[in-house]
Amino acid sequence: MSSIVDKPEDYFRKLIPPRDDLMIKLEAEAEKENIPIVGPVVGELLYILAAATKAKRILELGTATGYSAIYLARACEAADGIVVTLENDSEMAARAQQNFRQAGVSDRIEVHVASALEVLPQLQESFDFIFLDIEKQDYVKVLPDCRRLLVKGGLLVADNVGFKDADEFNRTISQHSGWRSISLFSFLPLHSPENDALCLALRC
Ligand SMILES: C[S@@+](CC[C@H](N)C(=O)[O-])C[C@H]1O[C@@H](n2cnc3c(N)ncnc32)[C@H](O)[C@@H]1O
Protein backbone atom coordinates (compact mmCIF):
# COMPACT_ATOMS: atom_id res chain seq x y z
CA MET A 1 0.00 0.00 0.00
CA SER A 2 1.25 3.49 -0.84
CA SER A 3 2.25 5.63 2.15
CA ILE A 4 1.15 9.16 2.96
CA VAL A 5 3.13 12.03 1.39
CA ASP A 6 6.17 13.39 3.27
CA LYS A 7 5.51 16.56 5.27
CA PRO A 8 1.80 16.63 4.42
CA GLU A 9 1.31 20.20 5.65
CA ASP A 10 4.03 21.54 3.32
CA TYR A 11 2.68 19.38 0.52
CA PHE A 12 -0.93 20.57 0.87
CA ARG A 13 0.13 24.19 1.39
CA LYS A 14 1.39 24.09 -2.21
CA LEU A 15 -2.07 23.01 -3.41
CA ILE A 16 -3.98 26.05 -2.14
CA PRO A 17 -6.47 27.04 -4.87
CA PRO A 18 -5.67 30.20 -6.89
CA ARG A 19 -7.51 33.45 -6.07
CA ASP A 20 -7.94 36.87 -7.66
CA ASP A 21 -6.21 40.04 -6.42
CA LEU A 22 -9.18 41.15 -4.28
CA MET A 23 -9.30 37.87 -2.34
CA ILE A 24 -5.53 37.96 -1.80
CA LYS A 25 -5.86 41.53 -0.51
CA LEU A 26 -8.64 40.47 1.91
CA GLU A 27 -6.46 37.60 3.16
CA ALA A 28 -3.55 40.02 3.79
CA GLU A 29 -5.85 42.46 5.64
CA ALA A 30 -7.28 39.62 7.72
CA GLU A 31 -3.83 38.45 8.72
CA LYS A 32 -2.69 41.97 9.61
CA GLU A 33 -5.83 42.80 11.60
CA ASN A 34 -6.43 39.35 13.07
CA ILE A 35 -9.80 38.88 11.38
CA PRO A 36 -10.64 35.16 11.41
CA ILE A 37 -11.74 34.59 7.81
CA VAL A 38 -12.14 31.09 6.36
CA GLY A 39 -9.22 31.38 3.94
CA PRO A 40 -8.92 29.95 0.43
CA VAL A 41 -9.34 26.24 1.19
CA VAL A 42 -12.61 26.54 3.11
CA GLY A 43 -13.64 29.36 0.73
CA GLU A 44 -13.25 26.99 -2.19
CA LEU A 45 -15.03 24.23 -0.27
CA LEU A 46 -17.98 26.59 0.31
CA TYR A 47 -17.97 27.44 -3.40
CA ILE A 48 -17.98 23.76 -4.39
CA LEU A 49 -20.69 22.78 -1.92
CA ALA A 50 -22.98 25.70 -2.80
CA ALA A 51 -22.48 25.22 -6.56
CA ALA A 52 -22.86 21.42 -6.42
CA THR A 53 -26.09 21.70 -4.43
CA LYS A 54 -27.29 24.43 -6.84
CA ALA A 55 -28.17 26.55 -3.80
CA LYS A 56 -30.33 29.52 -4.79
CA ARG A 57 -30.94 31.06 -1.36
CA ILE A 58 -27.93 31.12 0.94
CA LEU A 59 -27.81 32.44 4.51
CA GLU A 60 -24.52 33.32 6.19
CA LEU A 61 -24.16 34.14 9.88
CA GLY A 62 -20.97 36.19 10.43
CA THR A 63 -19.90 38.34 7.46
CA ALA A 64 -16.72 40.08 8.71
CA THR A 65 -15.14 41.71 5.62
CA GLY A 66 -17.20 39.60 3.22
CA TYR A 67 -14.52 37.11 2.16
CA SER A 68 -16.63 33.94 2.52
CA ALA A 69 -19.78 35.69 1.26
CA ILE A 70 -17.95 36.51 -2.00
CA TYR A 71 -17.21 32.79 -2.52
CA LEU A 72 -20.86 31.98 -1.81
CA ALA A 73 -22.19 34.72 -4.11
CA ARG A 74 -19.95 33.54 -6.95
CA ALA A 75 -21.06 29.95 -6.34
CA CYS A 76 -24.77 30.76 -6.68
CA GLU A 77 -24.38 32.93 -9.78
CA ALA A 78 -25.24 30.09 -12.18
CA ALA A 79 -28.47 29.45 -10.23
CA ASP A 80 -29.18 33.21 -10.17
CA GLY A 81 -29.14 32.90 -6.38
CA ILE A 82 -28.72 35.32 -3.52
CA VAL A 83 -26.78 35.45 -0.25
CA VAL A 84 -28.27 36.99 2.89
CA THR A 85 -25.48 37.65 5.40
CA LEU A 86 -25.77 38.87 9.01
CA GLU A 87 -23.07 40.87 10.80
CA ASN A 88 -23.46 42.60 14.17
CA ASP A 89 -20.49 44.95 13.75
CA SER A 90 -21.53 47.91 11.58
CA GLU A 91 -17.96 48.83 10.60
CA MET A 92 -17.31 45.30 9.37
CA ALA A 93 -20.59 45.29 7.46
CA ALA A 94 -19.63 48.57 5.73
CA ARG A 95 -16.27 47.11 4.74
CA ALA A 96 -18.02 44.02 3.42
CA GLN A 97 -20.37 46.15 1.29
CA GLN A 98 -17.40 47.92 -0.23
CA ASN A 99 -15.71 44.57 -0.97
CA PHE A 100 -18.90 43.20 -2.54
CA ARG A 101 -18.94 46.18 -4.91
CA GLN A 102 -15.31 45.57 -5.83
CA ALA A 103 -15.99 41.87 -6.39
CA GLY A 104 -18.96 42.73 -8.62
CA VAL A 105 -21.39 40.72 -6.47
CA SER A 106 -23.25 43.44 -4.56
CA ASP A 107 -26.47 42.80 -6.51
CA ARG A 108 -26.39 39.22 -5.22
CA ILE A 109 -25.72 39.89 -1.52
CA GLU A 110 -27.90 41.47 1.19
CA VAL A 111 -25.92 42.44 4.29
CA HIS A 112 -27.93 43.02 7.45
CA VAL A 113 -26.33 44.75 10.41
CA ALA A 114 -27.90 42.71 13.16
CA SER A 115 -27.26 40.04 15.73
CA ALA A 116 -28.07 36.64 14.31
CA LEU A 117 -29.48 35.68 17.71
CA GLU A 118 -32.08 38.45 17.48
CA VAL A 119 -32.86 38.36 13.76
CA LEU A 120 -33.02 34.64 13.02
CA PRO A 121 -36.27 34.01 14.95
CA GLN A 122 -37.94 36.70 12.81
CA LEU A 123 -36.88 35.28 9.43
CA GLN A 124 -39.56 33.35 7.57
CA GLU A 125 -38.22 32.68 4.06
CA SER A 126 -36.44 29.39 3.66
CA PHE A 127 -32.85 28.77 2.54
CA ASP A 128 -31.09 25.97 0.65
CA PHE A 129 -27.72 26.47 2.33
CA ILE A 130 -26.62 28.03 5.63
CA PHE A 131 -23.05 28.90 6.58
CA LEU A 132 -22.51 29.35 10.31
CA ASP A 133 -19.51 31.47 11.35
CA ILE A 134 -20.39 33.54 14.46
CA GLU A 135 -19.25 33.06 18.08
CA LYS A 136 -18.85 29.34 18.58
CA GLN A 137 -20.80 29.18 21.85
CA ASP A 138 -23.80 30.63 19.97
CA TYR A 139 -23.91 27.85 17.35
CA VAL A 140 -26.09 25.67 19.54
CA LYS A 141 -28.43 28.61 20.24
CA VAL A 142 -29.13 29.26 16.54
CA LEU A 143 -29.37 25.59 15.57
CA PRO A 144 -33.19 25.28 15.98
CA ASP A 145 -33.75 28.33 13.74
CA CYS A 146 -31.23 27.04 11.21
CA ARG A 147 -33.26 23.82 11.03
CA ARG A 148 -36.53 25.74 10.74
CA LEU A 149 -35.15 27.94 7.94
CA LEU A 150 -33.39 25.24 5.91
CA VAL A 151 -35.39 23.36 3.31
CA LYS A 152 -35.53 19.58 3.75
CA GLY A 153 -32.31 18.27 2.20
CA GLY A 154 -30.66 21.68 2.65
CA LEU A 155 -27.04 21.90 3.80
CA LEU A 156 -25.66 23.51 6.96
CA VAL A 157 -21.90 24.15 7.08
CA ALA A 158 -20.43 25.24 10.42
CA ASP A 159 -16.86 26.51 10.64
CA ASN A 160 -14.48 26.16 13.62
CA VAL A 161 -16.22 23.23 15.30
CA GLY A 162 -12.82 22.11 16.61
CA PHE A 163 -13.13 24.90 19.21
CA LYS A 164 -14.10 23.88 22.76
CA ASP A 165 -16.90 26.45 22.59
CA ALA A 166 -18.54 24.40 19.83
CA ASP A 167 -18.71 21.26 21.99
CA GLU A 168 -22.38 21.59 22.90
CA PHE A 169 -23.25 22.26 19.25
CA ASN A 170 -21.24 19.20 18.16
CA ARG A 171 -22.90 16.91 20.68
CA THR A 172 -26.38 18.25 19.91
CA ILE A 173 -26.22 18.05 16.12
CA SER A 174 -24.55 14.63 16.07
CA GLN A 175 -27.37 13.14 18.18
CA HIS A 176 -30.36 14.99 16.68
CA SER A 177 -32.61 12.92 14.42
CA GLY A 178 -33.39 16.06 12.38
CA TRP A 179 -29.84 16.22 11.03
CA ARG A 180 -27.35 13.89 9.35
CA SER A 181 -23.98 15.37 10.15
CA ILE A 182 -20.25 14.79 10.09
CA SER A 183 -17.36 16.72 11.62
CA LEU A 184 -14.17 16.78 9.59
CA PHE A 185 -10.98 17.56 11.48
CA SER A 186 -8.53 18.87 8.88
CA PHE A 187 -5.42 20.77 7.96
CA LEU A 188 -6.75 23.97 6.37
CA PRO A 189 -3.96 26.19 5.01
CA LEU A 190 -4.53 29.94 5.65
CA HIS A 191 -7.60 29.17 7.77
CA SER A 192 -7.74 30.58 11.25
CA PRO A 193 -6.60 28.28 12.86
CA GLU A 194 -5.05 25.91 10.33
CA ASN A 195 -5.94 22.77 12.30
CA ASP A 196 -9.66 22.86 12.92
CA ALA A 197 -12.88 21.02 12.19
CA LEU A 198 -15.87 21.76 9.98
CA CYS A 199 -19.34 20.35 10.40
CA LEU A 200 -21.41 19.43 7.34
CA ALA A 201 -25.02 18.64 8.11
CA LEU A 202 -27.99 17.70 5.98
CA ARG A 203 -31.38 18.84 7.22
CA CYS A 204 -33.64 15.75 7.42
C1 LIG B 1 -15.28 34.43 12.01
S1 LIG B 1 -15.83 36.01 11.56
C2 LIG B 1 -16.62 35.75 10.02
C3 LIG B 1 -15.66 35.50 8.90
C4 LIG B 1 -16.31 35.40 7.54
N1 LIG B 1 -17.37 34.41 7.54
C5 LIG B 1 -15.29 35.01 6.51
O1 LIG B 1 -14.81 33.87 6.54
O2 LIG B 1 -14.94 35.87 5.68
C6 LIG B 1 -17.20 36.22 12.61
C7 LIG B 1 -17.97 37.49 12.40
O3 LIG B 1 -19.24 37.31 13.01
C8 LIG B 1 -19.63 38.50 13.67
N2 LIG B 1 -20.55 38.05 14.73
C9 LIG B 1 -20.26 37.46 15.92
N3 LIG B 1 -21.38 37.15 16.57
C10 LIG B 1 -22.41 37.55 15.78
C11 LIG B 1 -23.82 37.51 15.91
N4 LIG B 1 -24.43 36.99 16.99
N5 LIG B 1 -24.58 38.00 14.89
C12 LIG B 1 -24.00 38.52 13.79
N6 LIG B 1 -22.66 38.60 13.62
C13 LIG B 1 -21.88 38.12 14.60
C14 LIG B 1 -18.33 39.11 14.17
O4 LIG B 1 -18.45 40.50 14.33
C15 LIG B 1 -17.34 38.71 13.06
O5 LIG B 1 -17.22 39.75 12.11
Side-chain angles (χ1 to χ4, degrees):
M1 198 174 103
S2 175
S3 53
I4 199 93
V5 292
D6 291 334
K7 300 188 178 162
E9 296 191 356
D10 294 348
Y11 177 84
F12 284 105
R13 215 178 276 286
K14 291 187 190 129
L15 296 176
I16 297 175
R19 291 88 73 206
D20 63 23
D21 290 347
L22 173 65
M23 301 312 264
I24 289 172
K25 186 186 102 177
L26 296 187
E27 288 164 19
E29 281 177 8
E31 192 181 353
K32 194 166 157 219
E33 299 176 47
N34 237 342
I35 304 167
I37 61 168
V38 292
V41 173
V42 174
E44 197 67 22
L45 176 67
L46 290 172
Y47 181 99
I48 291 168
L49 292 172
T53 55
K54 298 186 171 54
K56 245 180 114 66
R57 289 186 46 82
I58 298 176
L59 176 65
E60 176 182 71
L61 311 188
T63 320
T65 54
Y67 182 88
S68 51
I70 292 171
Y71 274 100
L72 291 168
R74 289 175 172 166
C76 70
E77 203 177 323
D80 197 21
I82 62 146
V83 178
V84 175
T85 181
L86 308 181
E87 171 58 56
N88 63 3
D89 176 330
S90 57
E91 275 180 36
M92 277 293 173
R95 281 174 71 171
Q97 281 283 21
Q98 170 78 11
N99 292 328
F100 297 152
R101 278 191 286 275
Q102 269 194 55
V105 293
S106 47
D107 56 342
R108 213 168 275 295
I109 308 186
E110 283 173 27
V111 196
H112 296 276
V113 183
S115 165
L117 298 175
E118 286 165 21
V119 160
L120 273 193
Q122 296 162 29
L123 296 185
Q124 294 302 331
E125 282 195 80
S126 59
F127 292 89
D128 308 304
F129 189 111
I130 298 181
F131 177 49
L132 194 45
D133 199 14
I134 54 174
E135 296 299 325
K136 312 315 153 193
Q137 71 270 15
D138 291 337
Y139 282 12
V140 73
K141 297 181 196 158
V142 297
L143 192 56
D145 276 316
C146 287
R147 185 163 186 283
R148 179 180 62 82
L149 292 169
L150 259 184
V151 296
K152 201 165 181 232
L155 186 63
L156 174 74
V157 180
D159 194 21
N160 305 117
V161 299
F163 281 61
K164 287 180 183 162
D165 281 349
D167 176 55
E168 200 183 340
F169 168 86
N170 290 333
R171 284 187 289 110
T172 303
I173 200 165
S174 63
Q175 290 161 16
H176 193 299
S177 60
W179 297 98
R180 281 190 78 137
S181 70
I182 45 155
S183 299
L184 297 171
F185 183 70
S186 313
F187 171 61
L188 304 165
L190 302 187
H191 183 264
S192 179
E194 290 195 320
N195 283 309
D196 195 357
L198 292 161
C199 174
L200 306 185
L202 198 64
R203 192 246 196 245
C204 301

